[in-house]
Every structure is written in structure tokens, then in C-alpha cells.
Amino acid sequence: MVNGSSWPRGDVMRVSVLGATGSIGASTLDLIGREPAQFAVQAVTANSNAVALAALAKKHGAKLAVVSDPAAYAALKSTLAGTGIDVAAGPAGLEVAAAMEADCTVAAIVGVAGLAPALIAVARGQRVALANKECLVSAGRFFMANVRRHKTELLTIDSEHSGVMQVLETRNRDQVVKVTLTASGGPFRTWTAEAIATASLEQALQHPNWTMGPKITIDSATMMNKGLELIEAQHLFDLAPAQLDMLVHAQSIVHALVEYSDGSVLAQLAQPDMRLPIALALNWPRRRPTPTPRLNLATAPALTFEAADETRFPCIRLSREAMQRGGGATAALNAANEVAVAAFLAKRCKFGHIAQVVSASLDLLDGRGLLGEPQNVGAVMELDGETRRVAAETLAGLGDGR
Ligand code: NAD
Ligand code: MG
């Protein structure tokens, strides 16, 4: 999508996977494991699950395995003793993994915790396959400036953005009227506002179409995920907020639509399977066979589309407002959301509190004049930290929300 060249070049592609033990990490390594002649694994990382990471490192012959949590280092070291696989831990270890020589680094850590390693990978000027949308929501301007400066090939691993990438005609870039991302609507698509407000964790984790990590699954249930994705698309494709829209499409078969000035709308369709956008990001601009089930429109369910409901899903409005406002608002939106979702996952607040905490945190920071344009990534991370403190206080003020 940016600075694209061509793979495969006939030689083996060396791939590092940051966030290897997660949902995207697992799908990436599944694809890599199917084509051992095509790919070689360099570094793999995880937060704290040393046993799972060691198993992946051994299975795929990785050169380096890193746990972010220093407390998990001893377990990783002993499990990989005698294998010849290097081990490291903590932020410094993560930096070494991100900086390791590789033809493609898959950035699949969840949350803003993945920003620093993703920026290190970007600075290497090789291909980066980006799953971590929070990077772009928090620091999109700086992230994309680094991509341009280092001439990095940036490919998206987000199904809707991969869809946009496939139907965005480079020669007609100036004729794009609107880019629409579809949303499944999540498990509460047909629920009333009252029922949604008190939905349980188990209900919120039941995504109808996708199997994903816990944070993005909750983001899909609040529909914050689609709001984050509009901001992601704004930066990835250099679009104005007014050019971005969303549409609820419960079947998750049409992933994105691009409307041009002549009235033509180009859409990308496929079965919902993350291995497809991952394979495309690895092989871009080539397509190679994937294990994704084929789409048969004669037998597929009828495709339906409806407008998103900002009243029942207030996170859509909050994210749109933050996108329009720009500056530090999107970084704060992301940080407050990370805190609120973590609290809900830990059963420390109600589902309806997520939007409340995000909204109240943004208002408080705005009142203190803190949502101006951050001048560098350090300032983004300072705002992220301050927002986390404000959001935690807001949560504490809710009392026992269970
Ligand atoms: P996940 O929770 O399944 O995996 C996250 C990975 O990051 C794990 O390997 C975990 O060990 C690691 N990690 C977590 N916290 C960390 C920290 N503080 N420091 C370092 N490593 C840490 O998440 P996922 O569903 O694979 O999503 C990963 C990213 O991809 C997210 O940004 C998500 O929005 C995006 N994404 C995911 C999907 C999907 O289908 N899962 C689709 C589109 C985009
Ligand atoms: Mg998506």
C-alpha cells in the first residue's frame, strides 16, 4: 500500500512475528508453517506465556524468542535451553526482536504497547505487516511520517483495510469520494440499549463471525473497533474524516467499499478468515493460494446492510468525534478505551461503563486543555499515561460495577 515492491522474489522471506502467541500471531505462523520453503522465522515474541512461546519458537525454528514480562524470562530460558534459540526479555528484548534483520515484521501486539516495537521495525525500512491498529489511532501522524522517511513497505493486516487496499485504484486516488468499512455489528447488533448496558462478559465475548483476541472482541461488541478502524484508515490511506464511513453488514463477506466520482462502487468480498489479509500482506502484491474457504454467493446467506446505530453504540460517536477533532483526542480515546476494556475483561465494570469511561475521560482531559496536537511520539505516550490515570480514577468513581 505504501512503498510497495514485490514478493516472492524467488528466495526465502525471513519473517519476525511480534505478538506470536496471539490470534493474529497464530494465524500468521499457521500460514508460514504450510510453506516452509517460502518462509523462515526470525524472532517471535509474547507478553508472558513462556511455554506457548517456546513451543512456537521450536516448531518454527525461530532464531530469537522474547517475553516482554521479565518475570517469564527464567521459564523461557530453561524451556529453550540446548535448542540454540536465543532468548531475551523486557522492553530491551522486545527492541532487539523488532530490530532483528527480517524481510517482513508482523506487528501483532495488542494495544499501544506495540507502538515502540512497531516503530523500531518501521525504522529498518523493510516490510511491516501491521495488525496493531492502536499504533495508528494513537500516533498515526508520526507513524506514517516514519514509514515515509524510512521508505518502509507498510501492508495492513486488518480485513477491511486489506479490502480497501485491494480496490483502491492508485491511478484514481484523486477520484475517491468515500471509503466504507463494514462492521458485523457484533453480538449485540439486535439488542436494546438497556440489554446492552448490562451484558455479561461471556455474552460480549461471543463474536458471531470472527475468533479474535479478547480486547478486539470486546471492541467489536461496543463497536469501538469500527471507530478505531476509521481512524486507522484515515492514516493508512491519507483520507479526510468526511470521506470515511461504516456500514453494518452482519454476514462479514463484503469487507470494504470504495466509491469513485463517476458513481462506481468497488467492493472486496471474501469469507471472514484473517489468514487471507495476512497472506496478502506477506505476499503483496502477489496472491497465493490460502486455506480460506471459498466464497459461493449462490449458497451464501443473503447479504444485508444497515446504518450503524450511534445511540445504542455510543463508542461510534466518540470515535468519530475524536477523529474529527484530531490532535491528542484519538490517542486519549485509545488509552481510555484500553483501560475500560481491561476493567470489563477483569469484571471490574459493566459493559455500558466502557463508553462512559471513555467519554468522561476525554471531557476531563479536554477541560484541562490536554487534547492539543502532540509534537512527537514521546508526547503521545505522556498523554497516553495521563489518560490512563484519568480513566482509572473515573472507573474507581463508578464503585462496584459488577
Ligand atoms: P491477542 O490478545 O490474541 O494477542 C496479542 C499478542 O500480543 C499476544 O502474543 C500477547 O502475548 C502480546 N502482548 C499482549 N500484551 C503485550 C504487551 N504489553 N507487551 C508485549 N506483548 C504483548 O490479540 P489479537 O487478536 O491477535 O490482536 C492483535 C492486534 O491485531 C490488535 O491490535 C488487534 O486490534 C489487531 N487485529 C486483530 C484481528 C484478529 O482477528 N484477531 C483482526 C484485525 C486486527
Ligand atoms: Mg477489522
Side-chain angles (χ1 to χ4, degrees):
M1 148 200 345
V2 174
N3 308 318
S5 72
S6 172
W7 278 93
R9 295 172 183 152
D11 43 2
V12 171
M13 179 185 245
R14 298 164 302 166
V15 182
S16 287
V17 185
L18 312 179
T21 53
S23 167
I24 293 290
S27 295
T28 304
L29 290 169
D30 172 67
L31 283 168
I32 287 176
R34 288 165 190 263
E35 294 202 82
Q38 189 76 38
F39 299 107
V41 176
Q42 296 287 94
V44 287
T45 80
N47 191 23
S48 57
N49 193 338
V51 174
L53 183 68
L56 289 173
K58 278 195 252 187
K59 180 173 175 197
H60 295 280
K63 297 197 169 51
L64 170 69
V66 176
V67 276
S68 301
D69 179 1
Y73 178 70
L76 185 67
K77 196 169 159 59
S78 65
T79 318
L80 289 178
T83 60
I85 300 170
D86 289 334
V87 294
L94 203 53
E95 278 184 26
V96 174
M100 191 167 179
E101 185 57 32
D103 302 303
C104 176
T105 303
V106 177
I109 291 174
V110 60
V112 83
L115 175 62
L119 282 172
I120 290 171
V122 163
R124 287 192 12 264
Q126 301 295 318
R127 177 171 299 192
V128 171
L130 184 69
N132 183 324
K133 66 191 80 183
E134 293 90 349
C135 282
L136 291 174
V137 175
S138 293
R141 210 160 61 84
F142 304 109
F143 194 91
M144 295 309 290
N146 275 282
V147 166
R148 286 188 291 273
R149 182 177 324 134
H150 298 287
K151 297 190 168 39
T152 308
E153 284 185 282
L154 182 68
L155 278 309
T156 177
I157 299 187
D158 204 340
S159 52
E160 300 77 7
H161 304 71
S162 181
V164 173
M165 178 175 81
Q166 294 175 62
V167 292
L168 195 58
E169 297 180 337
T170 320
R171 61 190 175 282
N172 285 318
R173 256 334 242 97
D174 59 340
Q175 297 300 310
V176 172
V177 174
K178 194 165 74 173
V179 168
T180 303
L181 310 179
T182 63
S184 70
F188 307 140
R189 183 174 59 87
T190 58
W191 288 33
T192 63
E194 295 71 33
I196 293 173
T198 54
S200 73
L201 175 59
E202 292 69 25
Q203 288 167 325
L205 286 172
Q206 291 301 315
H207 195 281
N209 302 347
W210 300 94
T211 307
M212 310 180 285
K215 194 259 177 182
I216 184 173
T217 303
I218 301 305
D219 284 346
S220 299
T222 61
M223 292 197 69
M224 178 64 94
N225 184 50
K226 213 48 53 181
L228 300 180
E229 288 186 353
L230 292 187
I231 300 163
E232 180 186 14
Q234 180 194 13
H235 293 293
L236 275 178
F237 304 114
D238 194 20
L239 295 163
Q243 288 177 292
L244 286 156
D245 206 357
M246 66 173 76
L247 197 55
V248 174
H249 165 52
Q251 299 77 31
S252 297
I253 286 175
V254 176
H255 301 290
L257 306 103
V258 178
E259 181 189 332
Y260 292 89
S261 59
D262 61 354
S264 209
V265 178
L266 303 193
Q268 187 263 340
L269 286 76
Q271 296 281 15
D273 181 348
M274 285 310 293
R275 290 176 300 185
L276 202 148
I278 296 169
L280 197 58
L282 293 174
N283 294 306
W284 183 261
R286 294 277 310 277
R287 295 181 185 275
R288 292 175 56 79
T290 67
T292 296
R294 303 291 106 161
L295 179 61
N296 180 348
L297 285 175
T299 55
L303 305 185
T304 59
F305 300 92
E306 62 200 81
D309 183 346
E310 299 194 2
T311 310
R312 286 184 304 130
F313 297 98
C315 287
I316 300 175
R317 181 179 48 77
L318 292 170
S319 52
R320 269 193 203 278
E321 284 171 2
M323 175 169 69
Q324 264 143 15
R325 175 163 187 165
T330 60
L333 173 92
N334 179 68
N337 183 56
E338 285 195 30
V339 170
V341 171
F344 178 68
L345 284 169
K347 297 196 172 183
R348 285 191 285 109
C349 72
K350 287 184 184 151
F351 188 81
H353 287 148
I354 297 174
Q356 277 180 35
V357 167
V358 174
S359 178
S361 303
L362 284 167
D363 285 348
L364 276 164
L365 291 160
D366 193 19
R368 287 165 50 193
L370 291 178
L371 295 183
E373 187 75 51
Q375 293 308 310
N376 48 47
V377 176
V380 169
M381 293 314 294
E382 248 174 61
L383 176 57
D384 177 275
E386 185 54 24
T387 307
R388 284 168 195 273
R389 279 187 286 281
V390 167
E393 277 169 26
T394 310
L395 264 168
L398 295 171
D400 182 10
R402 281 167 291 181

